[in-house]
Amino acid sequence: MAGGAAVVAVPAPAGPPEGSAGDAVSEARRAAASVPSRAAATDRPLLLGTYTSAEGGGTGIGVASYDSATGAVTGAGTITGVPDPSYLVCHPDGRTVYAVDERDDGAVTAVRLADRKVLGSRSTGGSGPCHVSVHPGGRWLLSANYGSGSVAVHPIDASGALGERTALVTHSTPPPGPGQQGPHAHQFLTSPDGGHLLAVDLGTDTVYTYRLDEQRGTLTEVAQAHTRPGAGPRHLTFHPGGRYAYLANEVDDTVAVCAWDPDSGRLTIGAPQPSGSSGGTNYPAQFVVTGDGRYAFLANRGHNSVARFAVEDDGAVLRLLGTVPVGGDFPRQIALSPDGGLLFAANQRSGTVTVFHVDAADGQLTRAGEPFASPVAVCALPL
């Protein structure tokens, strides 16, 4: 194992979910239509993450719908029994949503969307898991433990439920960056080509690249990419072209364009660029990129804005166009609707979700009415 990472492996998982890609798409549509039920033709499901242990927090995963034409959001209840579900992701087949349980004894929880049944939880082997993603093949769940600076892999069975953890890697090298007491894994995602996994660690100023053994669910480190000391990288988002990615650096309030080599798994981090904030305290949170690859948007916590970037030179260049106020406080996460027509900003401190219309022609963002109230809103997942 390169880079001094510690690995724990346990027995192999159950086989992959059954069904063809066409079956999965049909199933996804049926599942989406059922959450919430009796929705209008233009309504789509929206799931909301929160902190259940925070003062004024929610009681589980918020369930709502949004009008895909107007952007209006309507509440539809809560999925209870999931503690501190601060980050959410949907399985590629659309039937199951996964949440991190961001607690000292971290876990990940599976919920079946059709009837909102909690399918169970599994330990992540670390503390404070804050990000979760599904490998494109649909067989593996990837999670990042912020508190303990580790990443974990869990198998997904045919029902969408999770098996026992198959890998746990703690980031032991390089040493923590300036002002950090240890590693802080903030994101764990799959590269666009599907051949590598990348873990963004704020505490070590490093993006780690791994290979996943898709039969056993184990990890092998193949590369490291380092930011400048003290940058505090938080989230990485790939351009649709698959050769470039955009990194939000939380601690030094910068962003960077990264070049990606899918053959070697090496990420090359470019020079720091402005986040669009205008001075004062600001913590960039997350990029999203439009489906056509022409525009990128960045959530800025503190400046309380979404920065707009034009993407040029096939993804190699980000050009700052300006910022748009979110009309809320501390936009921790942003997400585009599946059709790209709407952008959702989850504003943690104001307990609101702001919805914007996205102009495909010029990347302009226009508020779609007043923000939707949602307690300690830290994640919005439009389906």
Side-chain angles (χ1 to χ4, degrees), residues 283-383:
Y283 306 100
Q286 180 181 6
F287 272 106
V288 294
V289 184
T290 57
D292 60 9
R294 297 178 58 200
Y295 298 98
F297 304 108
L298 173 72
N300 277 319
R301 297 167 299 161
H303 192 245
N304 292 338
S305 66
V306 176
R308 298 168 48 246
F309 295 83
V311 180
E312 299 172 342
D313 196 16
D314 295 326
V317 174
L318 282 181
R319 178 167 58 87
L320 181 64
L321 298 175
T323 62
V324 178
V326 293
D329 191 0
F330 223 63
R332 172 166 168 145
Q333 180 261 358
I334 55 176
L336 290 167
S337 59
D339 64 4
L342 298 171
L343 183 143
F344 297 77
N347 305 309
Q348 180 174 355
R349 292 178 178 171
S350 58
T352 56
V353 176
T354 308
V355 185
F356 295 90
H357 292 285
V358 181
D359 191 317
D362 58 11
Q364 291 283 353
L365 298 177
T366 305
R367 279 259 302 271
E370 291 301 309
F372 174 74
S374 182
V376 190
V378 290
C379 184
L381 178 61
L383 300 175

Side-chain angles (χ1 to χ4, degrees), residues 29-290:
R29 290 171 178 162
R30 287 193 292 271
S34 68
V35 184
S37 59
R38 299 191 301 276
T42 57
D43 281 359
R44 300 287 303 164
L46 175 67
L47 301 177
L48 302 167
T50 186
Y51 285 112
T52 58
S53 61
E55 182 178 356
T59 57
I61 299 172
V63 179
S65 66
Y66 67 96
D67 188 308
S68 58
T70 68
V73 177
T74 303
T78 305
I79 300 171
T80 58
V82 187
D84 290 319
S86 66
Y87 202 90
L88 310 171
V89 68
C90 192
H91 191 281
D93 68 13
R95 296 182 299 173
T96 312
V97 67
Y98 301 97
V100 296
D101 304 350
E102 192 174 337
R103 295 192 164 188
D104 287 342
D105 53 343
V108 281
T109 298
V111 179
R112 187 167 60 209
L113 288 178
D115 57 3
R116 307 183 189 178
K117 177 181 175 59
V118 177
L119 300 179
S121 301
R122 297 288 185 177
S123 170
T124 61
S127 64
C130 64
H131 184 267
V132 64
S133 64
V134 180
H135 187 264
R139 292 186 60 199
W140 304 101
L141 189 75
L142 316 173
S143 57
N145 292 309
Y146 180 84
S148 52
S150 58
V151 292
V153 180
H154 288 81
I156 301 172
D157 72 17
S159 72
L162 298 170
E164 289 292 343
R165 188 178 63 247
T166 57
L168 179 66
V169 177
T170 299
H171 297 151
S172 57
T173 60
Q180 304 296 327
Q181 300 303 308
H184 293 301
H186 220 305
Q187 184 189 27
F188 199 22
L189 75 161
T190 307
S191 62
D193 55 279
H196 297 90
L197 309 182
L198 295 99
V200 181
D201 196 299
L202 180 150
T204 61
D205 293 323
T206 300
V207 179
Y208 301 83
T209 301
Y210 299 96
R211 284 197 182 277
L212 171 69
D213 183 321
E214 295 190 40
Q215 298 304 311
R216 300 173 58 214
T218 53
L219 299 171
T220 302
E221 184 180 317
V222 297
Q224 294 183 5
H226 306 289
T227 66
R228 65 178 180 176
R234 177 185 176 92
H235 268 255
L236 185 76
T237 303
F238 278 91
H239 183 269
R243 299 307 297 259
Y244 296 96
Y246 311 117
L247 186 62
N249 293 316
E250 174 178 342
V251 178
D252 73 355
D253 188 18
T254 64
V255 302
V257 177
C258 306
W260 170 248
D261 181 352
D263 294 328
S264 66
R266 292 194 173 277
L267 189 77
T268 302
I269 300 174
Q273 300 178 212
S275 67
S277 68
S278 54
T281 302
N282 183 63
Y283 306 100
Q286 180 181 6
F287 272 106
V288 294
V289 184
T290 57

